[in-house]
Amino acid sequence: MIFDWEECCAVRETRELQGETPLTLDGEGLWVGVLSSGRCLLQLRGAAAGSGASGDILLGCGGVALLPATPCHLLCLRLTGSAVEGFLRGLPAPRFVDSAACPNVAEQLARLCAAAPPDPAAAPDPARGVGPYALLCMLAHADEQARRLSPLVAEAVETIRNNYMALYGVDDLADALGVSKCHLVRTFSAEMGTSPGKYLTRTRLEAAKLLLLEREYNLEMIANLCGFSGANYLCRVFRREEGVSPAVWRDTAAPHAAPKHLPPRNNEAYV
């Protein structure tokens, strides 16, 4: 199976808002933008959908209108592909979110905008596909701060993000939080739309994919750094979740390295 970056995640066009002129973002897929200065109002189909201030990240879909409340600057791009469709299914509505959850997004977005085809109708270069996908990975947890999570689920999310390498599983997570596994699974699944076990696996895979972009890490090292019991188990989980092996994924992506931005780890392992 050949991994097709254009089908997975690709930049289709870029837009820029500067000053006080309104901007409407159309087209299928996900619009991602960084508001670098000023304040901006967000409208969807004529109805108010929120506002953003300098430093916020825009996540939206086609038909979103940006109305500057003060002179502002916003750089944005439109992503399409199967991975983008999955991301949009988990996005409740267009919104501005705090960039603190994904601090490297502005830098990565600027790089992609500089490399994007100048003609919106031009096909994106599949060789650059790893960059858009890396951006999508960075955005995977962008809206968590905006969710009204209960203290238990918020602590569970933080514990997974900070200790995914060291956690043995949901039992270990429940023990760390001082609750029963049954209660944790029920509460977490109701609020997050996925089980804590699947969330832990996706967090580990997110970290593994970004490490795969660096040639100096072999599969055994990546497995250890990301909390998998070994390279063979990493390969089984990766193929089950992504449809390709880590080796195929890396052979496609590695020649075009992206910035490494892993979820923080409180417990490092050196091998």
Side-chain angles (χ1 to χ4, degrees):
M1 176 178 180
I2 299 176
F3 193 88
D4 188 341
W5 280 112
E6 186 175 348
E7 292 296 323
C8 176
C9 186
V11 176
R12 290 298 176 182
E13 63 176 304
T14 65
R15 300 289 298 275
E16 187 173 10
L17 183 155
Q18 193 159 5
E20 298 181 84
T21 304
L23 176 66
T24 299
L25 303 175
D26 293 314
E28 64 175 356
L30 172 70
W31 280 100
V32 180
V34 174
L35 186 60
S36 57
S37 64
R39 292 182 58 253
C40 190
L41 305 178
L42 185 64
Q43 284 191 346
L44 180 66
R45 301 180 184 91
S51 64
S54 179
D56 285 349
I57 295 171
L58 167 69
L59 299 175
C61 52
V64 170
L66 301 171
L67 308 176
T70 65
C72 60
H73 178 263
L74 182 140
L75 184 64
C76 57
L77 52 79
R78 181 167 63 92
L79 300 174
T80 63
S82 57
V84 175
E85 292 171 4
F87 185 96
L88 284 170
R89 285 194 291 270
L91 184 67
R95 63 180 63 188
F96 280 102
V97 298
D98 191 340
S99 62
C102 37
N104 284 359
V105 162
E107 179 183 1
Q108 178 71 349
L109 185 140
R111 292 178 183 176
L112 292 174
C113 286
D119 179 3
D125 180 1
R128 288 196 292 264
V130 63
Y133 188 82
L135 174 64
L136 203 64
C137 287
M138 294 177 186
L139 292 167
H141 304 278
D143 68 335
E144 284 175 1
Q145 292 185 349
R147 298 179 187 178
R148 295 181 178 179
L149 300 179
S150 66
L152 172 61
V153 175
E155 186 178 359
V157 168
E158 183 179 5
T159 301
I160 290 172
R161 295 291 293 168
N162 289 338
N163 300 284
Y164 62 90
M165 185 275 290
L167 287 170
Y168 288 104
V170 179
D171 290 298
D172 195 24
L173 176 62
D175 289 342
L177 298 174
V179 298
S180 70
K181 178 181 177 181
C182 181
H183 177 61
L184 173 62
V185 171
R186 183 173 61 251
T187 306
F188 192 102
S189 300
E191 294 188 29
M192 296 295 292
T194 188
S195 70
K198 288 184 178 180
Y199 188 91
L200 174 59
T201 297
R202 294 307 308 176
T203 301
R204 286 173 171 164
L205 286 175
E206 173 192 329
K209 288 175 186 176
L210 295 174
L211 284 176
L212 282 166
L213 300 178
E214 305 295 332
R215 277 289 181 183
E216 65 266 26
Y217 294 102
N218 61 41
L219 292 182
E220 195 64 42
M221 292 172 66
I222 292 172
N224 279 280
L225 288 170
C226 297
F228 294 98
S229 58
N232 288 337
Y233 182 58
L234 167 62
C235 289
R236 289 199 303 272
V237 174
F238 200 101
R239 185 182 292 276
R240 183 190 71 207
E241 297 294 326
E242 304 299 326
V244 295
S245 70
V248 170
W249 195 92
R250 172 147 71 179
D251 285 344
T252 304
H256 317 283
K260 184 166 60 178
H261 175 62
L262 300 178
R265 291 188 298 268
N266 286 347
N267 298 286
E268 294 285 353
Y270 297 90
V271 293

